[in-house]
Every structure is written in C-alpha cells, then in structure tokens.
Amino acid sequence: MSNLPDEKTFALFDTPPNQKLISVLFERGSKTILFPPIETEKVDLSPESNAILENLTNYDWIIFPDVYTVEFFLQNLEECEIDLFGLDAVNVCVFGEAIADKLRFVQLHADIISDANECKEAFQALSNYLNGELQNLKFILVKEISLEYEIKNYLTNGGGAVEELSLYAAKISNKSEIVKAKTLLKGGAIDEFVFSSDEDLIALRHYFANESIASVLSEIRISAVSQNVFQTLKENKLRPLYFHAGKE
C-alpha cells in the first residue's frame, strides 16, 4: 500500500472528489502536482446521427468505449423519446466493467465486456465472440467527437460496416497547465499517480490521445482509492496498488 513520505511527488486530478485527499497531501508537505480535469459537453446531433438513433434496431452492435459515451447516449435517447428497451434486439460491446455497470444501472446488458480497455483487445473479444464472422454486420461506434478509435479500422478490414456516433466533446480549459503537467509526468518528476475515479483515466486518454497510457505511466507507481477504480486500472494494463492515506 502507498504511504506518504514527504520526499515523494504525487499527481492526481483537481476534482471535487479529490479535495479531501489534496488537503491531506498539502498539510503533510507532500509535493503534489494537480492535473486539470476535462470538461464534457453534449454536441448537437447531425442529421446522420439523428438517423442512427432513430433506427438503432437496423444495426447489429453498439460499441461504448468509455462511460461518457453511455451517459450522453442515454441522454439523447431520452431527449429523442426513443424507447430504451428497444435495444434488446441490438448487441452491445463495452470497453471494461465500469461501462457495463453504467448500462446495468438502466437495466441494459452488455454482451461483451472487454477485459482490457484497448481497441485491439476489444476487437479480439468481438471477433472471438463472432467466430471471426464480421462480414455484413453493422456496428455503431459511440464516441467523443475528436477521438479516433482503431477498432473502426479493425472492423471494416474484417468486412463489417461501422457508423460513428459522436455525442460529446471533451474540453480542456487550462491548456498551459496541462502542458506543464504532461511535461512533468513524462520527464520523471512524478513518483505516484493517484486515481479516484474512472473519469481520471478518461481524461489522461484525452491528454495523451496518440499514446499508450500504460507506456506513459510505465515508470510511475499507480494507486487507486477504491476497488472499482482498481479494476478499471487493471483493465487498462496498469498495475495499481490500493492507496492508503496514512503513513506506514
């Protein structure tokens, strides 16, 4: 478990759930680098996106890469007055257990829960489930507007048809602070990164959009404040420890 020797440098996101922990670290004189969180906002639906939502049962699969895609998908269904339970006829693939939990909350079932939160592993899970028979299957990839997902190429190369459904945008309000924090992270100035929510990892994925998070954090101690976050970190090929706020 983690302890708090003053000579260590910690990193965590400057979010409301972390304020108590941030206060503890500062009070003990621990060096602490705060990462600004991302802000998310719903994007206006294009005519093509509206058509996808209104004809969900014309597709074979819906793919959710992160928890925000589920949240904004459900929000759009409600606003468009689309029956949630009409999705029973459509298969669902999610990138990890945390996303499946979001669906369970509204009584939706994920047919495939990828053990690793990576496009390659999610595609492999899909391919195995379908015995490699992707020809003529129609997929909806729910996504953030600016991110590209390799799973689209994997599916189309296998003969599937993929429609992208961009439902939210991630915004960074303090870009100069992010540049500074990223430089410190990659420069070896951080000893331990503390994660308190699944959203923390999503934010890092946006900050290092073209890089492997496992590689970026390979030389840094990773810790989680809860069992759910611990599981999410493992799904992302990280080796977390449980964070303990007291000194050993």
Side-chain angles (χ1 to χ4, degrees), residues 115-117 229-240:
D115 291 334
N117 199 327
V229 176
F230 184 92
Q231 178 63 31
T232 297
L233 294 173
K234 287 187 65 178
E235 289 172 354
N236 282 268
K237 297 183 178 180
L238 300 173
R239 296 181 178 180

Side-chain angles (χ1 to χ4, degrees), residues 82 85 95 123 235 241:
I82 296 172
F85 297 102
F95 284 26
F123 169 74
E235 289 172 354
L241 300 171

Side-chain angles (χ1 to χ4, degrees), residues 93-106:
C93 173
V94 299
F95 284 26
E97 192 65 42
I99 308 169
D101 284 341
K102 288 280 186 182
L103 292 173
R104 292 189 190 105
F105 188 74
V106 293

Side-chain angles (χ1 to χ4, degrees), residues 166-236:
S166 297
L167 296 184
Y168 80 95
K171 297 169 57 180
I172 302 172
S173 58
N174 195 334
K175 293 186 178 181
S176 62
E177 285 299 311
I178 282 298
V179 171
K180 177 182 176 182
K182 286 174 63 176
T183 300
L184 291 171
L185 180 60
K186 299 189 76 171
I190 295 170
D191 299 300
E192 181 166 349
F193 207 116
V194 184
F195 290 86
S196 63
S197 71
D198 299 321
E199 287 78 4
D200 292 350
L201 196 57
I202 296 172
L204 274 188
R205 285 188 174 279
H206 283 280
Y207 297 150
F208 297 96
N210 298 315
E211 301 179 62
S212 164
I213 295 300
S215 297
V216 170
L217 300 176
S218 61
E219 301 299 322
I220 299 172
R221 184 183 179 100
I222 306 300
S223 57
V225 301
S226 70
Q227 183 176 355
N228 288 342
V229 176
F230 184 92
Q231 178 63 31
T232 297
L233 294 173
K234 287 187 65 178
E235 289 172 354
N236 282 268

Side-chain angles (χ1 to χ4, degrees), residues 151-169:
I151 194 169
K152 178 182 179 180
N153 295 329
Y154 296 144
L155 291 169
T156 53
N157 290 339
V162 181
E163 295 280 358
E164 294 183 331
L165 182 59
S166 297
L167 296 184
Y168 80 95

Side-chain angles (χ1 to χ4, degrees), residues 96-132:
E97 192 65 42
I99 308 169
D101 284 341
K102 288 280 186 182
L103 292 173
R104 292 189 190 105
F105 188 74
V106 293
Q107 298 182 324
L108 287 179
H109 168 72
D111 298 274
I112 295 178
I113 304 172
S114 175
D115 291 334
N117 199 327
E118 297 285 348
C119 286
K120 186 175 183 179
E121 284 75 7
F123 169 74
Q124 192 60 57
L126 257 172
S127 183
N128 291 343
Y129 185 89
L130 296 168
N131 295 317

